[in-house]
């Protein structure tokens, strides 16, 4: 399985990736997660990316491509991969083609998650993560309970809000998606790889649509 999850912030790429990992045992390669890990570890990449992410802009292509190249070279990616949040513009898509040609693993499908923008804002304003293990909740759609309980790490977690999930940054991220990432829809459609998913539905319904789109339902 070599798939790309494409879609605006909050469209459910990370949520569906987790379910695909459990079902197919292939790793999720999320450039957002790689960057957040670099920020938390205070690496040179993290120090450079932190302010850019807080503003909702894209980190430069050379940094992103180096992260993806290294991650694809790790042994677990030999089984396949789910690219989440990458590529994000045409330059990254072209570079990905080159990278995958080198390792002989072309993309099988690009799944486009389509969700109404007001719903995206509601989802992002409600997103919370377990401070212990990172499991994602949503105070509107998947509440963690009272008091909060995380079944993944069996803890009563502190819930944290992503620094870029404030209203102003969310609007910037949505605008960056429209101008820089949306052109990938036509790019992948022209190559016969695009599968449109109506992702404005319950998580389980979206999962069924994803499985159907990749022919494994
Ligand atoms: P990144 O981490 O990739 O963020 P994003 O693309 O903005 O996507 P999100 O993680 O916000 O949303 P998601 O689609 O995964 O939704 P989720 O499943 O969590 O990027 C962050 C930043 O890093 C960028 O702004 C940029 O600065 C930088 N960056 C990353 N990659 C880059 C690249 N390639 N190039 C340059 N810069 C890059 O769901 C959201 C919420 O909704 C959750 O609370 C969830 O529980 C809930 N939810 C999910 N599905 C449903 C459903 N069906 N119904 C109801 N609620 C749902």
């Amino acid at each position: 399985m070599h798939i790309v999850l494409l879609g605006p912030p909050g469209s459910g790429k990370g949520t569906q990736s987790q379910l695909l990992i459990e079902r197919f045992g292939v790793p999720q390669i999320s450039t957002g997660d790689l960057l957040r890990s670099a920020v938390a570890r205070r690496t040179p990449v993290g120090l450079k990316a932190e302010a850019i992410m807080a503003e909702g802009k894209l980190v430069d292509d050379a940094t992103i491509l180096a992260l993806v190249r290294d991650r694809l070279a790790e042994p677990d990616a030999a089984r396949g991969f789910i690219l989440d949040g990458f590529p994000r513009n045409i330059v990254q898509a072209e570079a990905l083609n080159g990278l995958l040609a080198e390792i002989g693993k072309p993309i099988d499908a690009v799944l486009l998650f389509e969700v109404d923008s007001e719903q995206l804002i509601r989802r992002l304003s409600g997103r919370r993560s377990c401070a212990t293990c990172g499991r994602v909740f949503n105070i509107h759609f998947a509440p963690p309970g009272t008091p909060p309980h995380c079944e993944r790490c069996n803890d009563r977690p502190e819930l944290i809000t992503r620094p870029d999930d404030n209203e102003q940054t969310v609007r910037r991220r949505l605008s960056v998606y429209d101008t820089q990432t949306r052109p990938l829809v036509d790019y992948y459609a022209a190559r016969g790889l695009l599968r449109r998913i109506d992702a404005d539905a319950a998580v389980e319904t979206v999962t069924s649509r994803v499985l159907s789109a990749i022919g494994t339902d």
Side-chain angles (χ1 to χ4, degrees), residues 7-16 30-33 35-36 49 52-54 56-61 64 84-89 92 113 119 123-124 126-128 136-139 141-142 162 164-165 173 199-204 206:
S11 57
K13 304 180 297 294
T15 301
Q16 296 300 327
S30 155
T31 41
D33 287 348
L35 290 167
R36 279 184 289 279
I52 301 169
M53 295 171 77
K57 296 179 182 167
L58 294 188
V59 173
D60 68 280
D61 295 331
I64 296 293
D84 164 4
F86 173 86
R88 247 169 155 106
N89 58 31
Q92 293 183 10
F113 286 20
Q119 173 73 353
R123 285 189 190 180
L124 292 171
R127 175 163 54 187
R128 302 288 183 276
V136 175
F137 297 92
N138 195 289
I139 58 171
F141 305 106
R162 250 171 63 171
D164 58 348
D165 275 350
R173 287 161 61 204
D200 211 342
V203 170
E204 309 74 46
V206 177

Side-chain angles (χ1 to χ4, degrees), residues 99-143:
L99 209 54
L100 297 183
E102 270 174 38
I103 58 177
K105 290 176 181 161
I107 296 170
D108 302 321
V110 175
L111 309 186
L112 172 65
F113 286 20
E114 298 183 294
V115 178
D116 166 79
S117 60
E118 286 310 310
Q119 173 73 353
L120 294 173
I121 290 168
R122 186 158 164 75
R123 285 189 190 180
L124 292 171
S125 70
R127 175 163 54 187
R128 302 288 183 276
S129 314
C130 169
T132 310
C133 73
R135 185 184 188 283
V136 175
F137 297 92
N138 195 289
I139 58 171
H140 305 306
F141 305 106

Side-chain angles (χ1 to χ4, degrees), residues 6-9 112 173-183 185:
L6 178 65
L112 172 65
R173 287 161 61 204
L174 291 171
S175 148
V176 166
Y177 177 83
D178 277 337
T179 54
Q180 300 191 47
T181 308
R182 198 180 288 283
V185 173

Side-chain angles (χ1 to χ4, degrees), residues 14 16-29 82:
Q16 296 300 327
S17 292
Q18 288 307 314
L19 301 165
L20 293 172
I21 293 168
E22 284 165 24
R23 189 164 175 131
F24 298 107
V26 297
Q28 166 206 29
I29 299 180
I82 302 156

